[in-house]
Amino acid sequence: MLALAGCVDLPQPYRGRPGGQAQVLAIPLAIRIAVPPPEQALLGNAQATDFAAALVAALQTEDVPVIASATPLPLDWLVEITADRQGQGRGETVRPRFRLLDADRKPQATTEGKPIPLEDWANADRALFDQVARENGPKLTQLLLQVEAARKSTDPASLTAGPPRLYMLGVLGAPGDGNASLGARMKEQLGGQGFVVQDSAEGASYGLQADVAVVPAGTRGVERVEIIWIVSRRDGEELGRVVQMNEVPAGRLNRLWGDIAYVAANEAADGVKTVVANALQAPPATSDAPKPTVPAVGGVPAPPPAATLTAPPVLPPLR
């Protein structure tokens, strides 16, 4: 079984190190990203070149196929960098912005960095550009994954039309902000895995819901947390479950879940991906026997799970 993460002040061995498979991006090798030196970022020519190089280095650490080039090839995607001034007087700042353009130079996604004091930006060196790039590289990588997954999923001519669309039905039963936090973090994690996650059933191939229970444990002052992620097919057939269990101090989750929701979703997302992968690889049924009627996505899933997961080791109980 997959285990819940520890509290903020406890060891969290998987934080920042989700495993090799989770770091492999779903980006076809045919797509290359080019980062031209920005012409509208309030920088000199040498600074612009350094900024582009810093962003390329940050994206390469995320395994993105990217180069710094003032003359991108016709089929290259682009990261367009701009910056604008905000505020007045001594509080004036510069906010860098990043826009992802496809090969047709059509905008696909945008993100922005933290504001930087105008004086620091005017005198920016490679160290500052490296810092900005490290902060925004992962955000650009996430956007690229989501854009590419959506693009591939709309190509009916492709036998590998990209990751399937998954309908996120929601999380039920968690105290505090657990329902919202777990749902939001799971959307982020699955998006990072290359899924197209949506809030409606239209066009979805799979459904995902979670049931949470917090009950007294055998030890006084300790509660047991159980999270069950249920993956179902569009016709309602249950494909598998990812189960997480751990113990927390009583009342710990009555308000904010915080890091626990993040790491719980991070660990469970790999299990959800495994269930869907098993379903995609399953051979077609050949039996002529009638199948029992099952409800559609959003209803009660059929009881027996069709996938068995090999889960990572359980983390130590929370203290």
Side-chain angles (χ1 to χ4, degrees):
M1 292 182 291
L2 298 173
L4 283 172
C7 302
V8 176
D9 56 346
L10 296 176
Q12 297 180 23
Y14 293 105
R15 174 174 293 282
R17 297 184 291 116
Q21 292 300 318
Q23 297 175 3
V24 177
L25 303 185
I27 303 175
L29 295 180
I31 290 181
R32 188 179 70 165
I33 313 297
V35 182
E39 299 178 353
Q40 300 180 19
L42 308 176
L43 297 171
N45 291 338
Q47 289 176 313
T49 300
D50 283 346
F51 194 9
L55 185 59
V56 166
L59 291 174
Q60 287 176 343
T61 64
E62 302 281 330
D63 292 332
V64 175
V66 60
I67 63 166
S69 175
T71 56
L73 297 177
L75 295 182
D76 285 342
W77 287 40
L78 300 184
V79 175
E80 182 185 74
I81 306 173
T82 60
D84 55 68
R85 297 168 65 166
Q86 299 178 338
Q88 296 179 349
R90 294 183 178 179
E92 191 169 3
T93 62
V94 172
R95 184 183 291 273
R97 303 181 188 278
F98 307 86
R99 186 167 66 157
L100 180 64
L101 308 177
D102 64 15
D104 295 320
R105 304 306 181 252
K106 296 180 180 179
Q108 298 296 315
T110 59
T111 186
E112 61 183 25
K114 298 177 181 178
I116 299 169
L118 178 60
E119 182 178 355
D120 293 347
W121 190 255
N123 300 306
D125 56 12
R126 181 58 187 261
L128 177 60
F129 294 141
D130 285 338
Q131 177 185 339
V132 175
R134 285 193 301 268
E135 293 173 352
N136 293 279
K139 293 193 292 185
L140 282 168
T141 301
Q142 178 77 8
L143 290 174
L144 181 60
L145 282 169
Q146 295 174 347
V147 168
E148 178 61 8
R151 186 181 70 88
K152 291 171 65 178
S153 69
T154 59
D155 181 10
S158 174
L159 294 177
T160 56
R165 294 181 177 270
L166 188 147
Y167 173 28
M168 185 68 180
L169 287 80
V171 181
L172 298 175
D177 72 340
N179 292 341
S181 292
L182 283 169
R185 300 293 82 79
M186 179 57 85
K187 287 182 181 179
E188 295 171 0
Q189 295 298 325
L190 290 175
Q193 296 274 17
F195 285 85
V196 178
V197 185
Q198 58 190 58
D199 294 321
S200 62
E202 183 63 30
S205 301
Y206 300 91
L208 176 66
Q209 65 187 65
D211 295 328
V212 182
V214 180
V215 299
T219 306
R220 183 177 179 181
V222 176
E223 293 177 327
R224 186 173 69 253
V225 184
E226 302 175 359
I227 306 176
I228 303 176
W229 301 90
I230 305 171
V231 185
S232 57
R233 209 166 56 191
R234 182 172 177 80
D235 62 5
E237 181 178 352
E238 185 177 313
L239 298 174
R241 298 186 174 199
V242 179
V243 181
Q244 298 173 288
M245 298 179 64
N246 211 332
E247 295 181 349
V248 299
R252 167 65 180 83
L253 301 177
N254 287 348
R255 296 182 62 190
L256 303 178
W257 281 56
D259 285 358
I260 289 182
Y262 175 87
V263 186
N266 180 48
E267 294 297 322
D270 287 336
V272 172
K273 182 178 181 180
T274 299
V275 172
V276 174
N278 289 344
L280 290 173
Q281 296 170 6
T286 57
S287 174
D288 295 329
K291 292 185 177 181
T293 302
V294 291
V297 166
V300 179
T308 301
L309 299 180
T310 301
V314 176
L315 293 178
L318 301 181
R319 296 179 177 86

